[in-house]
Short mmCIF file of all heavy atoms in Angstrom, two decimals:
data_model
loop_
_atom_site.label_atom_id
_atom_site.label_comp_id
_atom_site.label_asym_id
_atom_site.label_seq_id
_atom_site.Cartn_x
_atom_site.Cartn_y
_atom_site.Cartn_z
N PHE A 1 -141.46 64.76 109.79
CA PHE A 1 -142.80 64.48 110.29
C PHE A 1 -143.34 63.23 109.68
O PHE A 1 -143.95 62.39 110.36
CB PHE A 1 -143.77 65.64 109.86
CG PHE A 1 -145.11 65.40 110.41
CD1 PHE A 1 -145.42 65.61 111.78
CD2 PHE A 1 -146.12 65.01 109.54
CE1 PHE A 1 -146.75 65.37 112.15
CE2 PHE A 1 -147.40 64.83 109.98
CZ PHE A 1 -147.72 65.00 111.32
N PHE A 2 -143.03 62.89 108.45
CA PHE A 2 -143.47 61.73 107.72
C PHE A 2 -142.80 60.40 108.53
O PHE A 2 -143.52 59.52 108.80
CB PHE A 2 -143.01 61.70 106.34
CG PHE A 2 -143.49 60.47 105.63
CD1 PHE A 2 -144.75 60.25 105.21
CD2 PHE A 2 -142.57 59.44 105.30
CE1 PHE A 2 -145.19 59.16 104.59
CE2 PHE A 2 -142.95 58.34 104.60
CZ PHE A 2 -144.27 58.14 104.20
N PHE A 3 -141.59 60.51 108.83
CA PHE A 3 -140.98 59.40 109.64
C PHE A 3 -141.45 59.35 111.00
O PHE A 3 -141.58 58.26 111.63
CB PHE A 3 -139.41 59.49 109.54
CG PHE A 3 -138.79 59.20 108.26
CD1 PHE A 3 -138.29 60.13 107.46
CD2 PHE A 3 -138.77 57.91 107.80
CE1 PHE A 3 -137.70 59.83 106.26
CE2 PHE A 3 -138.29 57.61 106.55
CZ PHE A 3 -137.76 58.48 105.75
N PHE A 4 -141.92 60.44 111.53
CA PHE A 4 -142.55 60.46 112.91
C PHE A 4 -143.87 59.74 112.85
O PHE A 4 -144.13 58.98 113.73
CB PHE A 4 -142.67 61.96 113.32
CG PHE A 4 -143.46 62.06 114.64
CD1 PHE A 4 -142.90 61.72 115.77
CD2 PHE A 4 -144.70 62.61 114.66
CE1 PHE A 4 -143.64 61.73 116.98
CE2 PHE A 4 -145.51 62.69 115.84
CZ PHE A 4 -144.92 62.24 116.98
N THR A 5 -144.57 59.91 111.75
CA THR A 5 -145.92 59.15 111.55
C THR A 5 -145.65 57.75 111.43
O THR A 5 -146.39 56.90 111.84
CB THR A 5 -146.76 59.79 110.36
OG1 THR A 5 -145.93 59.59 109.15
CG2 THR A 5 -147.06 61.18 110.65
N LEU A 6 -144.55 57.37 110.70
CA LEU A 6 -144.17 55.93 110.58
C LEU A 6 -143.85 55.37 111.94
O LEU A 6 -144.24 54.21 112.21
CB LEU A 6 -143.02 55.80 109.64
CG LEU A 6 -143.25 56.12 108.18
CD1 LEU A 6 -142.04 55.83 107.31
CD2 LEU A 6 -144.35 55.24 107.62
N PHE A 7 -143.15 56.14 112.77
CA PHE A 7 -142.76 55.68 114.03
C PHE A 7 -144.12 55.41 114.96
O PHE A 7 -144.30 54.46 115.65
CB PHE A 7 -141.93 56.69 114.75
CG PHE A 7 -141.79 56.50 116.26
CD1 PHE A 7 -141.03 55.41 116.79
CD2 PHE A 7 -142.45 57.31 117.15
CE1 PHE A 7 -140.99 55.19 118.17
CE2 PHE A 7 -142.35 57.13 118.54
CZ PHE A 7 -141.65 56.08 119.08
N LEU A 8 -145.04 56.40 114.87
CA LEU A 8 -146.31 56.30 115.54
C LEU A 8 -147.08 54.98 115.01
O LEU A 8 -147.75 54.29 115.85
CB LEU A 8 -147.20 57.48 115.30
CG LEU A 8 -146.74 58.80 116.10
CD1 LEU A 8 -147.69 59.90 115.78
CD2 LEU A 8 -146.66 58.53 117.53
N SER A 9 -147.06 54.80 113.75
CA SER A 9 -147.73 53.59 113.16
C SER A 9 -147.08 52.32 113.77
O SER A 9 -147.85 51.39 114.01
CB SER A 9 -147.61 53.63 111.68
OG SER A 9 -148.19 54.72 111.11
N GLY A 10 -145.74 52.23 113.78
CA GLY A 10 -145.08 51.06 114.34
C GLY A 10 -145.43 50.93 115.82
O GLY A 10 -145.70 49.77 116.26
N LEU A 11 -145.38 52.00 116.58
CA LEU A 11 -145.68 51.95 118.03
C LEU A 11 -147.17 51.50 118.16
O LEU A 11 -147.44 50.76 119.07
CB LEU A 11 -145.47 53.31 118.62
CG LEU A 11 -145.80 53.45 120.13
CD1 LEU A 11 -144.94 52.48 120.91
CD2 LEU A 11 -145.65 54.90 120.54
N PHE A 12 -148.11 52.01 117.40
CA PHE A 12 -149.47 51.67 117.53
C PHE A 12 -149.68 50.18 117.17
O PHE A 12 -150.40 49.54 117.95
CB PHE A 12 -150.25 52.53 116.49
CG PHE A 12 -151.69 52.13 116.38
CD1 PHE A 12 -152.61 52.49 117.44
CD2 PHE A 12 -152.23 51.33 115.35
CE1 PHE A 12 -153.92 52.16 117.39
CE2 PHE A 12 -153.58 50.94 115.36
CZ PHE A 12 -154.40 51.35 116.31
N THR A 13 -149.01 49.72 116.22
CA THR A 13 -149.05 48.23 115.87
C THR A 13 -148.61 47.37 116.99
O THR A 13 -149.24 46.33 117.37
CB THR A 13 -148.26 47.93 114.59
OG1 THR A 13 -148.73 48.72 113.49
CG2 THR A 13 -148.43 46.45 114.19
N PHE A 14 -147.55 47.78 117.67
CA PHE A 14 -147.05 47.03 118.81
C PHE A 14 -148.02 47.08 119.90
O PHE A 14 -148.23 46.02 120.56
CB PHE A 14 -145.74 47.64 119.26
CG PHE A 14 -145.11 47.12 120.53
CD1 PHE A 14 -144.56 45.85 120.51
CD2 PHE A 14 -145.20 47.93 121.65
CE1 PHE A 14 -144.05 45.28 121.75
CE2 PHE A 14 -144.67 47.34 122.88
CZ PHE A 14 -144.10 46.03 122.87
N LEU A 15 -148.56 48.23 120.16
CA LEU A 15 -149.52 48.32 121.32
C LEU A 15 -150.81 47.56 121.02
O LEU A 15 -151.49 46.95 121.95
CB LEU A 15 -149.90 49.82 121.53
CG LEU A 15 -148.75 50.67 122.09
CD1 LEU A 15 -149.13 52.14 122.18
CD2 LEU A 15 -148.26 50.15 123.47
N VAL A 16 -151.17 47.49 119.73
CA VAL A 16 -152.50 46.77 119.32
C VAL A 16 -152.24 45.28 119.67
O VAL A 16 -153.16 44.64 120.14
CB VAL A 16 -152.72 46.97 117.79
CG1 VAL A 16 -153.75 45.91 117.34
CG2 VAL A 16 -153.32 48.32 117.63
N ASN A 17 -151.06 44.74 119.34
CA ASN A 17 -150.77 43.36 119.62
C ASN A 17 -150.87 43.11 121.11
O ASN A 17 -151.45 42.05 121.56
CB ASN A 17 -149.38 42.95 119.13
CG ASN A 17 -149.38 42.86 117.62
OD1 ASN A 17 -150.38 42.59 117.00
ND2 ASN A 17 -148.21 43.28 117.07
N ILE A 18 -150.40 44.00 121.92
CA ILE A 18 -150.46 43.81 123.31
C ILE A 18 -151.91 43.88 123.87
O ILE A 18 -152.31 43.09 124.68
CB ILE A 18 -149.65 44.89 124.07
CG1 ILE A 18 -148.09 44.69 123.71
CG2 ILE A 18 -149.92 44.83 125.61
CD1 ILE A 18 -147.24 45.69 124.42
N VAL A 19 -152.65 44.80 123.38
CA VAL A 19 -154.08 45.01 123.72
C VAL A 19 -154.91 43.75 123.37
O VAL A 19 -155.72 43.25 124.09
CB VAL A 19 -154.69 46.25 123.14
CG1 VAL A 19 -156.15 46.34 123.34
CG2 VAL A 19 -154.01 47.52 123.73
N ILE A 20 -154.71 43.23 122.15
CA ILE A 20 -155.41 42.04 121.68
C ILE A 20 -155.14 40.81 122.60
O ILE A 20 -155.96 40.11 122.94
CB ILE A 20 -155.16 41.88 120.23
CG1 ILE A 20 -155.78 42.93 119.36
CG2 ILE A 20 -155.64 40.43 119.84
CD1 ILE A 20 -155.55 42.74 117.93
N LEU A 21 -153.80 40.69 122.88
CA LEU A 21 -153.31 39.50 123.68
C LEU A 21 -153.97 39.66 125.13
O LEU A 21 -154.43 38.67 125.63
CB LEU A 21 -151.81 39.53 123.82
CG LEU A 21 -151.11 39.03 122.55
CD1 LEU A 21 -149.58 39.15 122.74
CD2 LEU A 21 -151.44 37.63 122.16
N GLY A 22 -153.99 40.86 125.59
CA GLY A 22 -154.59 41.09 126.93
C GLY A 22 -156.07 40.91 126.90
O GLY A 22 -156.62 40.30 127.93
N THR A 23 -156.74 41.32 125.85
CA THR A 23 -158.26 41.10 125.70
C THR A 23 -158.56 39.63 125.59
O THR A 23 -159.48 39.22 126.23
CB THR A 23 -158.78 41.88 124.49
OG1 THR A 23 -158.33 43.23 124.64
CG2 THR A 23 -160.26 41.78 124.44
N VAL A 24 -157.76 38.92 124.83
CA VAL A 24 -158.06 37.48 124.59
C VAL A 24 -157.85 36.67 125.88
O VAL A 24 -158.63 35.83 126.40
CB VAL A 24 -157.16 36.93 123.57
CG1 VAL A 24 -157.23 35.34 123.49
CG2 VAL A 24 -157.58 37.43 122.22
N ALA A 25 -156.73 37.08 126.75
CA ALA A 25 -156.48 36.47 127.95
C ALA A 25 -157.54 36.72 129.03
O ALA A 25 -157.98 35.84 129.73
CB ALA A 25 -155.09 36.96 128.51
N LEU A 26 -158.08 37.99 128.95
CA LEU A 26 -159.12 38.39 129.90
C LEU A 26 -160.35 37.64 129.59
O LEU A 26 -161.10 37.12 130.59
CB LEU A 26 -159.34 39.87 129.75
CG LEU A 26 -160.41 40.47 130.76
CD1 LEU A 26 -160.13 40.23 132.18
CD2 LEU A 26 -160.69 41.89 130.51
N THR A 27 -160.70 37.54 128.36
CA THR A 27 -161.98 36.82 127.99
C THR A 27 -161.86 35.34 128.32
O THR A 27 -162.95 34.65 128.66
CB THR A 27 -162.25 36.97 126.50
OG1 THR A 27 -161.13 36.60 125.72
CG2 THR A 27 -162.73 38.44 126.19
#
């Protein structure tokens, strides 16, 4: 479960970068 949370953290970081790039491009 601990490594599963690490995977979620990595996935979340990847998605955050995409969201921020998309938000900046939209603005």
Side-chain angles (χ1 to χ4, degrees):
F1 181 77
F2 181 75
F3 286 108
F4 174 70
T5 59
L6 291 182
F7 166 75
L8 288 181
S9 300
L11 179 62
F12 175 77
T13 303
F14 173 74
L15 294 176
V16 163
N17 291 327
I18 294 179
V19 170
I20 290 178
L21 289 174
T23 304
V24 170
L26 179 63
T27 53

